[in-house]
Amino acid sequence: MRASRPHPGGHLAEHFDSLSQVCSASKYTISGRRRFYNARNTLFLAAADFTTPEIHYFWLPQILQCPKYTISGRRRFAWPRNTLFLAAVDDKAPIFAAINHPLNPIQMITHALINPRSIAVIGGSNHIHKPGGRLVKNLIEGPFTGDLYIVNPKERLIQGHPVTRSVNDLPTGIELGVLAVSAAHCTEAVRVLVEEKGVRAIIIISAGFSEESTEGAAIEREICRICTAAGVALIGPNCIGLANPHHHAVFTSPVPTLGPGGVDLISASGGVALFIIECALTKGLRFHSLWSVGNAAQTGIEEVLEYMDEHFDPSTDARIKALYIEDIRDAEKLVRHAASLVRKGCRIAAIKGGTTADGMRASAMHTGAQPTSEEEVAAIFRRAGIVRCYSREELIAVACAFALPRPQGKSFAVVTHAGGAGVILTDALVRCGMKVPAYRGAMADELKARLLPGASVANPIDILGTGSAADFGLAIDYADQHFPETDAIAVIFGSIGLGKITAAVDVILEKMQTCSKPIYPILPSVLNTAEEIAHFVRHGGITFPDEVTLAQALGRMASL
């Protein structure tokens, strides 16, 4: 804490270098975190958008008369970054000491963003291979059933829809505006949409903002100021958009079928999000929503988690969250809401990009992210209950494991028709903290007698390469019903290219529904059995292409 200085009126004010110092001063109560406890010695917080640390003194009437400040306790904070806190000690007269401290915004996500009744696309086009055209196409072909407006000064009809020539010509009352125009044209478009047309949510897919230049950063700050001051939700800029069961306001493809039981994917990078979706769909992973936050001028991953936490509905909301993070702007908010979601039955996995020196430089250029060390990330994720991943494949594998029933213990049966793959999986499971107990006794002998000569039942249970789908199902049944030391079953079935394995795939689908223990399928023959894997996925199956990837995902789950 800095030394106290006399206020121009003669009273003393205390100066703080950080919010934590303010919070540790026991005589203060922090408004905006909890309600005022008493009339005197109360800390008031006011927000202002300063770019450099400054100290200011104000009388309360001066604050109330200054429109650039928002007084917490009267109304909520409205500025996302470089926030000025004003501490007021109510002894004999109000005295304010100001400090500069970054503050993330209040919860701005609204119903107009999630489930709008009307959407305006600024910069829509007939070229479906350009962002504005693909965006319109996705909205038309998706679940959105409200009113769609398209703004383009050069077209009269876009993809069968009439066109409005200018933002100024749009009707009032539109709920969501999606911008696919250059950064230079975004500020005025946002101003008209928000201040004149009453739009309640904005998505900006355009690039060219803080990630590119100081001029772009200034445009981004002004857009954020306009939106936040009006209580309007802002996603982006520099993102691919937002897709959920109500609308597909994204300009990329594929757009998966979104619905209950899927994964909420929240990403700082639109490209990474798309790569995750493409790979995950081939494995049977389903999605509930896609949030691409881009530069996160107003709404970042922390705010999305906050919204999901505070509005969580166990009957409809996704219980699996997959995150790609570049900038942790508010670690406490991230920890608080992630941990709360975990307590509500959700499971969260995340990649944190930009933890090495070169990675920090790359992420700063990509989204303007601030550096966070490896040690800080590990501590934050541990407190939040987040499973940390280091690659897209690992994130997908953990999400797939999350999507299957959770085992009650760590003992696995391994059922395979390829002995070598069973050995690899056994080693990997043990290295990752699991157990593969040996099966002996009457039940093991009985199973061996019912399989082909040469089959092994000691665990792994190897039915041999010539074993049938019926043999495979029998081995799974024994692992499920007759070996009580088993908590879960990992099954491996591939092909050497001499025939279809549809019957074996159908056995796995059936056993996943009827067995009392969770089954983790590994279908490694991604070329020879591509048709059968697609059949498996179409019928609701989730598969892992590699046994070690599965074991590592299970190990990460068990480490929490």
Side-chain angles (χ1 to χ4, degrees):
M1 186 175 71
R2 300 181 186 176
S4 296
R5 292 173 50 185
H7 181 273
H11 300 287
L12 291 178
E14 294 182 271
H15 300 242
F16 300 91
D17 295 310
S18 68
L19 182 60
S20 60
Q21 291 182 349
V22 177
C23 295
S24 64
S26 59
K27 69 179 180 179
Y28 295 114
T29 298
I30 311 299
S31 66
R33 290 188 171 218
R34 52 189 183 274
R35 300 180 65 182
F36 295 138
Y37 282 61
N38 48 44
R40 294 181 175 273
N41 297 321
T42 297
L43 179 74
F44 291 81
L45 300 179
D49 189 28
F50 285 95
T51 57
T52 56
E54 299 185 35
I55 298 293
H56 293 268
Y57 296 89
F58 299 95
W59 295 96
L60 182 59
Q62 292 176 312
I63 296 274
L64 296 176
Q65 292 168 8
C66 186
K68 69 179 178 179
Y69 295 110
T70 299
I71 311 301
S72 66
R74 291 175 176 263
R75 55 190 184 274
R76 303 177 77 181
F77 287 117
W79 302 86
R81 292 175 186 258
N82 298 318
T83 295
L84 184 70
F85 288 84
L86 300 170
V89 182
D90 187 13
D91 280 330
K92 296 181 179 179
I95 302 172
F96 293 79
I99 64 168
N100 183 275
H101 185 86
L103 175 70
N104 285 322
I106 63 166
Q107 181 54 254
M108 301 295 293
I109 298 173
T110 61
H111 187 267
L113 178 67
I114 304 297
N115 188 12
R117 290 172 294 185
S118 52
I119 298 176
V121 177
I122 317 304
S125 78
N126 281 310
H127 301 285
I128 63 171
H129 297 298
K130 293 185 177 181
R134 177 64 68 173
L135 176 61
V136 171
K137 179 178 172 64
N138 287 342
L139 285 169
I140 292 172
E141 295 180 350
F144 179 66
T145 58
D147 297 323
L148 178 61
Y149 300 88
I150 304 170
V151 176
N152 186 310
K154 299 178 181 179
E155 302 280 356
R156 293 191 176 184
L157 198 67
I158 289 179
Q159 300 183 43
H161 282 256
V163 175
T164 301
R165 304 297 296 274
S166 168
V167 176
N168 295 290
D169 298 329
L170 288 169
T172 58
I174 295 172
E175 293 198 324
L176 171 62
V178 188
L179 278 66
V181 294
S182 66
H185 293 93
C186 283
T187 304
E188 179 61 16
V190 169
R191 188 196 65 76
V192 173
L193 288 171
V194 170
E195 297 179 356
E196 298 180 18
K197 303 301 177 180
V199 166
R200 304 309 303 158
I202 295 286
I203 298 172
I204 302 178
I205 67 174
S206 316
F209 294 88
S210 62
E211 83 287 355
E212 186 172 294
S213 65
T214 55
E215 294 81 4
I219 295 172
E220 183 177 305
R221 285 197 299 271
E222 176 61 11
I223 288 172
C224 185
R225 185 198 66 77
I226 293 169
C227 290
T228 310
V232 170
L234 172 63
I235 298 294
N238 187 29
C239 70
I240 64 172
L242 167 64
N244 62 31
H246 306 294
H247 67 80
H248 294 167
V250 293
F251 71 89
T252 53
S253 65
V255 181
T257 300
L258 302 171
V263 175
D264 287 323
L265 176 59
I266 315 167
S267 178
S269 166
V272 169
L274 185 60
F275 302 155
I276 289 170
I277 288 172
E278 280 197 83
C279 186
L281 291 176
T282 66
K283 297 173 174 62
L285 189 65
R286 287 152 183 81
F287 291 88
H288 177 257
S289 69
L290 163 62
W291 297 74
S292 169
V293 300
N295 292 0
Q298 180 203 81
T299 302
I301 290 174
E302 297 94 331
E303 286 71 46
V304 177
L305 287 176
E306 178 183 32
Y307 176 84
M308 290 178 174
D309 178 26
E310 294 181 349
H311 297 82
F312 183 71
D313 182 347
S315 65
T316 59
D317 288 351
R319 292 181 179 270
I320 303 171
K321 320 292 180 187
L323 318 177
Y324 172 67
I325 304 170
E326 285 193 5
D327 191 5
I328 299 178
R329 300 187 310 179
D330 189 335
E332 289 306 313
K333 180 182 284 188
L334 177 67
V335 169
R336 181 167 64 253
H337 293 291
S340 176
L341 284 165
V342 170
R343 289 192 297 270
K344 292 173 181 176
C346 296
R347 290 188 276 182
I348 306 173
I351 301 170
K352 171 61 176 78
T355 57
T356 65
D358 289 342
M360 290 176 190
R361 173 180 50 79
S363 64
M365 291 187 295
H366 179 217
T367 59
Q370 298 300 308
T372 308
S373 71
E374 188 77 25
E375 294 75 16
E376 289 173 315
V377 173
I380 290 167
F381 280 20
R382 184 169 55 252
R383 291 172 56 207
I386 295 174
V387 175
R388 188 174 184 186
C389 303
Y390 292 88
S391 71
R392 288 180 284 107
E393 285 286 351
E394 190 175 20
L395 183 70
I396 293 165
V398 171
C400 286
F402 280 162
L404 295 169
R406 194 168 194 166
Q408 297 302 307
K410 297 184 177 182
S411 293
F412 276 73
V414 175
V415 181
T416 180
H417 74 150
V423 173
I424 292 172
L425 178 55
T426 299
D427 279 341
L429 287 169
V430 172
R431 280 196 299 266
C432 294
M434 308 295 117
K435 300 176 183 178
V436 183
Y439 295 150
R440 301 185 182 90
M443 286 297 101
D445 293 340
E446 181 179 295
L447 174 60
K448 185 174 179 63
R450 298 180 65 179
L451 296 175
L452 293 176
S456 172
V457 299
N459 199 19
I461 302 174
D462 181 4
I463 69 167
L464 302 178
T466 52
S468 66
D471 293 334
F472 199 56
L474 180 68
I476 294 172
D477 284 339
Y478 268 76
D480 181 54
Q481 301 168 19
H482 300 301
F483 299 124
E485 61 269 48
T486 300
D487 298 309
I489 307 167
V491 300
I492 307 171
F493 209 99
S495 169
I496 59 174
L498 298 180
K500 299 291 185 181
I501 65 164
T502 306
V505 165
D506 286 338
V507 165
I508 298 172
L509 286 169
E510 175 197 346
K511 299 306 179 184
M512 291 179 74
Q513 296 297 319
T514 60
C515 286
S516 62
K517 297 168 184 175
I519 294 177
Y520 295 88
I522 301 160
L523 302 178
S525 300
V526 294
L527 291 180
N528 282 340
T529 67
E531 184 179 325
E532 292 94 320
I533 292 173
H535 167 82
F536 183 76
V537 167
R538 279 196 307 272
H539 286 79
I542 289 178
T543 177
F544 301 83
D546 180 80
E547 52 271 12
V548 176
T549 300
L550 168 62
Q552 291 172 340
L554 293 169
R556 294 206 178 279
M557 286 171 52
S559 67
L560 289 180

